[in-house]
Amino acid sequence: MLPRNSLVGAIVATVGHVATGEQHGGSTGNHAGVPDPRAAEGSTGHREEPTLELLMAEYVDGNAESFERLYRRISPKLFGYLMRLTRNRERAEDLLQVTFTKVHRARASYLQGAPLLPWLLAIARRSFYDERRKSRVRQEQLSTDGELPEPPPEDNKLPTDTAAALESALDALPEAYREAIQLTKITGLSLNEAADVLGTTATAVKLRVHRGYVALRKNLEAATQGGT
Amino acid sequence: MASPSNPSELEPSEMSEADDLLAGLREREANLPSTACNQKIHSTCTKDLQACQAMSARHRSLISLGILLVVGVALLILARRGLSGVTAAALWGAMGWAIVQTAILFLGLARRHAGSSTRVRLGLTLLVPLLFFGYLTLIRTSSPPIGEFMAHSENTGHALHCGMFSFVIGALAACGILFLWRKTDPFTPRLSGSLAGLLGGLGAATPIGLVCPGTDCWHLWLAHGVSLILVVGMGAMLGRRWLSP
């Protein structure tokens, strides 16, 4: 049973903060794209880490060790983002490989000093949409025996806890809202950085997050009513 | 039970619950890709790793300006016989457009990662061609009806020749700029591509406009204006492929 009132209320409360541009994901990222240390290297280390941009510059200079460090810090965020986009571990891993291959090939074109995390997320996002466009074309083709291919089995598992309910409600959101919430609230980008990744304005991102919260509230209410 | 509609009625603990819930999702996403995936990526990205000659945005901008300068000077040298009729007003106009091109280059491409918002860049892409059409309208010497203009084959032939020439030279300049900025913009490659097209198109249209004898409005709009729009469109199409990593 979901703690409906408090959960829905909390989502509603957050809308007020979003409208004023306040960042809930502030603990996980900043304008320089430094990721959450909790996600990357555990909660114990407090020593000064070089910025992602510096590690990238060293990687461009041919330092493999810098790539290792960069990868260790960046891959959880990128993989998490791709997992939410694809909702499939294998596809997310494939796309992570595609993304890093593109990064490797384009490393000389990275404009030094530019925020790295939005740059990487934008490449990952484009890779996802390119791959999805191709797979849609493939899915529309008939199989060799003239039958339509079997649709993939749907995951009908009912949410068992609050986080799973939220996850499920988030997955049910329209893509534009889901992406805006994902980037600002879960990946931890600022509104401007998220706007860069999505190719839109910060105001539009703020609006999408706001509308996403409203839709999320409806989804959660529906889930609660369905569960009772 | 009705859900609370006013956030201010919520307890502080409830206010922070959404943060905690989303932070919980963040923790759930902290799972790493498989070892096999990591190994593949590492071998791809570190095998025979060598230093790359990375070019800064300023460096690329200066070379882009060089491309535009070379195109402009080459066109003027090629058409040196026509320069005798160039008025001082036309020269001031050309200088004005050179300043506009520099502004597009720095605001639209070079400062892409240093504060130039998508809105500013989109504004440049839409506003500058409109301004150029306004400029062409201002410098026209006559406005014959379209039927009268089209009735004379030498008019249409000259407009077609001038337009094709503007388009080809503008496209070449735009391709040079696109190549120079290749793989630099995964965010809005089409928009950056159209800005590169705008630069190339203006880089060709301005010097050609200086030496072109056609001054009636239909010639200016169809030959010089439309060719600029075509180069912008071409830049947008190529930008998607060339500017995205």
Side-chain angles (χ1 to χ4, degrees):
Chain A
M1 177 70 189
L2 291 169
R4 176 179 173 254
N5 207 24
S6 62
L7 178 63
V8 173
I11 296 296
V12 177
T14 313
V15 174
H17 294 275
V18 172
T20 56
E22 210 169 299
Q23 286 296 296
H24 291 283
S27 64
T28 59
N30 56 28
H31 290 265
V34 179
D36 184 2
R38 285 178 306 173
E41 54 211 10
S43 57
T44 52
H46 287 288
R47 69 191 170 88
E48 282 279 314
E49 279 283 330
T51 61
L52 295 176
E53 290 72 23
L54 184 64
L55 289 174
M56 183 68 190
E58 288 171 358
Y59 168 47
V60 172
D61 284 341
N63 188 336
E65 195 191 326
S66 294
F67 174 77
E68 302 284 342
R69 294 172 73 185
L70 182 69
Y71 182 76
R72 217 169 31 242
R73 286 173 60 179
I74 213 92
S75 60
K77 278 187 182 254
L78 269 183
F79 188 61
Y81 177 63
L82 288 169
M83 278 288 282
R84 185 163 300 284
L85 282 179
T86 59
R87 301 170 205 181
N88 180 300
R89 192 175 175 87
E90 272 179 29
R91 279 182 69 202
E93 286 190 348
D94 285 347
L95 282 170
L96 191 70
Q97 288 176 41
V98 170
T99 303
F100 273 100
T101 305
K102 285 183 178 179
V103 168
H104 181 66
R105 285 184 188 151
R107 66 191 189 282
S109 304
Y110 166 69
L111 296 177
Q112 289 194 4
L116 183 69
L117 187 57
W119 190 72
L120 290 171
L121 287 167
I123 295 174
R125 183 173 182 266
R126 287 215 171 264
S127 304
F128 166 71
Y129 282 110
D130 287 347
E131 192 256 4
R132 192 172 72 169
R133 201 175 304 121
K134 284 176 195 164
S135 67
R136 270 186 183 162
V137 172
R138 281 198 299 269
Q139 275 177 9
E140 281 170 11
Q141 292 169 349
L142 289 173
S143 61
T144 49
D145 57 359
E147 295 291 325
L148 280 170
E150 285 290 317
E154 285 186 19
D155 186 7
N156 287 325
K157 273 190 292 185
L158 287 171
T160 52
D161 58 7
T162 309
L166 185 60
E167 188 109 45
S168 171
L170 204 53
D171 283 347
L173 287 181
E175 199 165 85
Y177 301 163
R178 190 173 66 240
E179 271 196 296
I181 292 177
Q182 159 78 28
L183 289 173
T184 55
K185 304 297 167 190
I186 300 172
T187 309
L189 298 188
S190 69
L191 286 174
N192 283 330
E193 288 172 340
D196 265 350
V197 174
L198 298 172
T200 184
T201 62
T203 313
V205 174
K206 203 190 286 185
L207 195 67
R208 285 180 197 178
V209 173
H210 179 92
R211 288 179 178 166
Y213 269 117
V214 173
L216 199 56
R217 180 185 165 185
K218 280 183 189 164
N219 289 349
L220 286 168
E221 280 178 344
T224 314
Q225 281 160 8
T228 51
Chain B
M1 193 190 297
S3 60
S5 57
N6 184 359
S8 63
E9 291 171 5
L10 295 168
E11 295 292 322
S13 60
E14 289 175 326
M15 295 281 280
S16 64
E17 192 176 351
D19 292 358
D20 296 341
L21 289 168
L22 290 167
L25 290 190
R26 200 182 302 138
E27 297 291 343
R28 285 159 77 102
E29 285 195 348
N31 56 353
L32 291 164
S34 67
T35 314
C37 173
N38 287 337
Q39 281 172 350
K40 276 183 194 166
I41 291 171
H42 281 232
S43 66
T44 305
C45 296
T46 57
K47 192 181 175 186
D48 302 327
L49 186 62
Q50 289 177 342
C52 295
Q53 285 293 324
M55 226 190 289
S56 68
R58 190 195 296 175
H59 200 170
R60 285 175 211 263
S61 305
L62 290 175
I63 298 178
S64 302
L65 275 182
I67 290 174
L68 294 173
L69 197 67
V70 166
V71 169
V73 170
L75 284 173
L76 291 179
I77 289 171
L78 280 174
R80 62 189 179 278
R81 269 177 281 175
L83 269 177
S84 54
V86 175
T87 61
L91 278 174
W92 280 113
M95 273 181 68
W97 284 109
I99 293 168
V100 170
Q101 281 174 277
T102 312
I104 293 169
L105 185 60
F106 283 94
L107 287 175
L109 291 177
R111 286 184 59 79
R112 167 71 190 79
H113 298 289
S116 276
S117 68
T118 304
R119 194 174 290 175
V120 170
R121 302 168 72 237
L122 191 61
L124 281 173
T125 313
L126 298 175
L127 196 65
V128 172
L130 281 177
L131 280 175
F132 190 70
F133 268 89
Y135 168 76
L136 294 177
T137 308
L138 268 179
I139 61 167
R140 78 193 190 285
T141 53
S142 60
S143 308
I146 181 74
E148 190 182 315
F149 176 80
M150 300 297 266
H152 295 89
S153 60
E154 67 270 24
N155 282 347
T156 49
H158 180 219
L160 192 66
H161 177 260
C162 206
M164 288 285 282
F165 191 63
S166 292
F167 175 74
V168 170
I169 300 296
L172 285 174
C175 284
I177 294 167
L178 282 166
F179 185 75
L180 193 63
W181 291 85
R182 70 193 179 281
K183 294 187 178 181
T184 55
D185 188 3
F187 306 102
T188 47
R190 279 199 189 92
L191 185 54
S192 295
S194 36
L195 284 166
L198 192 54
L199 279 171
L202 283 175
T206 309
I208 289 173
L210 272 181
V211 294
C212 176
T215 53
D216 55 58
C217 65
W218 292 110
H219 174 86
L220 293 174
W221 288 339
L222 294 176
H224 300 252
V226 171
S227 66
L228 175 71
I229 302 294
L230 289 177
V231 179
V232 172
M234 185 210 73
M237 281 195 293
L238 287 181
R240 173 69 185 86
R241 284 190 169 275
W242 289 11
L243 297 183
S244 184

